[in-house]
């Protein structure tokens, strides 16, 4: 009986520890043959006090031939506020073939505080049609 109680307590501790991760990410697929529209990335926020770093990332394939890409990002807060800005991403070309898909990451905000609970919507789109982008996402890391 004591062993069963110990296992149950250990399992509960692991579950609570896993929920406390300082990283959150959300990603959506886009049309790699030609990305022209926008992609909506929804991130649920429950922590309204902790500062965090927000990054935007792209997964791309060999059809993407440019070394930069400018994105338009609209952010909608849970209380209907909206902001719009542009982010220029730089892609590096590996010298060898990649076994995994290539990714590009750009810092979007440092020490941001998301002051409202609820869903933050990041609507991301390229400023011109582009080929080879497979997915776009947002990564949020607590500081």
């Amino acid at each position: 009986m004591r062993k069963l109680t110990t296992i149950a307590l250990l399992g509960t501790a692991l579950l609570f520890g896993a929920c406390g991760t300082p990283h959150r990410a959300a990603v959506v697929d886009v049309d790699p043959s030609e990305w022209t529209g926008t992609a909506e990335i929804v991130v649920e926020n429950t922590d309204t006090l902790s500062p965090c770093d927000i990054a935007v990332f792209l997964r791309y394939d060999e059809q993407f031939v440019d070394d930069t890409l400018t994105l338009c990002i609209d952010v909608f807060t849970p209380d209907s506020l909206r902001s719009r800005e542009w982010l220029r991403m730089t892609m590096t070309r590996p010298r060898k073939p990649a076994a995994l898909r290539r990714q590009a990451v750009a810092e979007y905000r440092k020490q941001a505080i998301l002051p409202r609970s609820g869903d933050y919507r990041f609507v991301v789109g390229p400023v011109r049609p582009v080929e080879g982008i497979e997915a776009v996402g947002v990564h949020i890391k607590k500081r």
Side-chain angles (χ1 to χ4, degrees):
M1 182 70 170
R2 183 172 194 173
K3 187 176 182 180
L4 185 60
T5 304
T6 304
I7 291 172
L9 287 173
L10 181 61
T12 304
L14 287 173
L15 282 174
F16 282 117
C19 292
T21 181
H23 299 274
R24 289 179 288 163
V27 63
V28 295
D29 292 329
V30 296
D31 183 4
S33 64
E34 185 178 58
W35 183 26
T36 57
T38 58
E40 183 174 316
I41 304 158
V42 179
V43 177
E44 182 183 357
N45 184 50
T46 57
D47 185 351
T48 60
L49 300 174
S50 301
C52 59
D53 295 338
I54 304 173
V56 174
F57 62 92
L58 299 173
R59 186 178 68 223
Y60 60 99
D61 62 20
E62 60 279 344
Q63 290 181 347
F64 184 77
V65 295
D66 298 329
D67 58 354
T68 61
L69 178 63
T70 302
L71 301 174
C72 178
I73 303 173
D74 288 312
V75 180
F76 297 88
T77 66
D79 60 351
S80 303
L81 295 177
R82 175 184 178 173
S83 69
R84 172 178 281 180
E85 50 198 329
W86 289 262
L87 178 68
R88 185 174 184 196
M89 298 194 68
T90 303
M91 283 63 158
T92 56
R93 295 279 168 211
R95 295 189 176 154
K96 300 182 231 175
L100 302 173
R101 295 292 186 203
R102 296 173 179 99
Q103 287 189 352
V105 179
E107 197 173 85
Y108 179 63
R109 287 279 176 267
K110 284 188 81 69
Q111 296 187 352
I113 295 176
L114 303 176
R116 302 277 185 250
S117 312
D119 291 340
Y120 280 77
R121 294 183 306 127
F122 295 83
V123 180
V124 181
V127 295
R128 61 175 175 75
V130 63
E131 292 180 13
I133 303 296
E134 297 177 339
V136 60
V138 174
H139 178 252
I140 300 175
K141 178 183 175 187
K142 275 190 203 179
R143 292 194 57 98

